[in-house]
Amino acid sequence: MKEMIFGQEEMEAYIETLFPPDSDLQRTLNGIRSKGMPEISVPTAYGRLLTLLVSMSGASRVLEIGALGGYSGICLARGMTPDGRLTSLELLQDYADTAQEHLTAAGFGAQVEYFIGDASDSLAKLKQDGRRFDFFFIDADKKNYLRYLEAALELAEPGAVIVADNTLLRGRVADPARIGTTLDAMREVNRQLAENPRLMGTLLPAYDGLAVMRVRS
């Protein structure tokens, strides 16, 4: 009898069967859908990984670039220290309001603050104010990922963790025949992960790719 080989999609589906339903995250997904927002929240398994990484790092000052409807915000907040604070950058007020609604329902409403508008402007304001963070999650417009990584390095405490979603762009980054501003930016982010002396990290190939980095002390 020929052995059946399962592919990545089948393995990802199997992983999801191992964990019980999560009412807070399901409420968030339902809210995103009901409001007609893009259904592009971080995959469930990576959401659990975010919680784990924040918890393992002992982070209390977390910066999220791209709030959407609050799914990743809940995952990040769950891992923070009890006195932790989540700062979330979001282009659209409506999205930030939705995220705040969902984080409040999950019990984290008092631990999150939102900066509305272009993330580059918000990052510059945070730098001007002397803010520092020990965990970063980047999940916003892909063409500006390199700029966001550079800003994170400027705002990072020694030993800070930087995580970025969608860093493989459905495999397009590996195809040299593919060109474009977004692809160039993401390839450079991945190169920085591998070569920047201030960083140590790796790329996880499941789903759409996840970069996990730590700022060297």
Side-chain angles (χ1 to χ4, degrees), residues 198-217:
R198 290 196 63 196
L199 294 169
M200 59 185 298
T202 191
L203 278 166
L204 304 182
Y207 301 97
D208 196 24
L210 193 77
V212 182
M213 300 163 266
R214 188 167 192 182
V215 180
R216 295 182 187 273
S217 302

Side-chain angles (χ1 to χ4, degrees), residues 93-109:
Q93 182 70 61
D94 288 351
Y95 285 14
D97 291 343
T98 298
Q100 175 71 70
E101 175 186 334
H102 291 142
L103 265 85
T104 298
F108 300 108

Side-chain angles (χ1 to χ4, degrees), residues 10 89 114 155 158 168 188 206 214:
E10 289 81 8
L89 313 186
Y114 293 92
L155 296 169
L168 296 182
E188 181 59 22
R214 188 167 192 182

Side-chain angles (χ1 to χ4, degrees), residues 53-64:
L53 289 172
V54 175
S55 178
M56 291 174 66
S57 70
S60 61
R61 292 165 294 169
V62 178
L63 178 62
E64 173 187 45

Side-chain angles (χ1 to χ4, degrees), residues 52-216:
L52 181 63
L53 289 172
V54 175
S55 178
M56 291 174 66
S57 70
S60 61
R61 292 165 294 169
V62 178
L63 178 62
E64 173 187 45
I65 305 176
L68 190 61
Y71 188 102
S72 58
I74 292 172
C75 296
L76 293 164
R78 284 175 170 176
M80 296 189 306
T81 59
D83 61 344
R85 185 83 177 162
L86 172 65
T87 300
S88 186
L89 313 186
E90 174 53 54
L91 178 65
L92 302 175
Q93 182 70 61
D94 288 351
Y95 285 14
D97 291 343
T98 298
Q100 175 71 70
E101 175 186 334
H102 291 142
L103 265 85
T104 298
F108 300 108
Q111 291 177 265
V112 59
E113 61 176 336
Y114 293 92
F115 283 68
I116 310 302
D118 186 275
S120 295
D121 294 337
S122 297
L123 290 164
K125 178 67 165 57
L126 291 170
K127 181 181 177 181
Q128 180 182 348
D129 291 346
R131 300 281 297 275
R132 306 283 285 183
F133 299 90
D134 40 33
F135 197 100
F136 301 80
F137 180 53
I138 304 171
D139 191 13
D141 53 310
K142 311 311 172 192
K143 68 179 183 298
N144 285 315
Y145 260 40
L146 181 59
R147 183 182 303 175
Y148 298 153
L149 175 59
E150 291 169 345
L153 285 170
E154 292 179 343
L155 296 169
E157 293 282 12
V161 176
I162 304 172
V163 180
D165 195 21
N166 308 118
T167 48
L168 296 182
L169 295 177
R170 300 189 181 278
R172 295 194 300 275
V173 294
D175 183 355
R178 298 264 193 167
I179 58 174
T181 302
T182 298
L183 281 164
D184 289 344
M186 200 64 75
R187 286 171 178 144
E188 181 59 22
V189 166
N190 294 337
R191 190 185 72 80
Q192 288 291 322
L193 179 155
E195 299 181 9
N196 190 319
R198 290 196 63 196
L199 294 169
M200 59 185 298
T202 191
L203 278 166
L204 304 182
Y207 301 97
D208 196 24
L210 193 77
V212 182
M213 300 163 266
R214 188 167 192 182
V215 180
R216 295 182 187 273

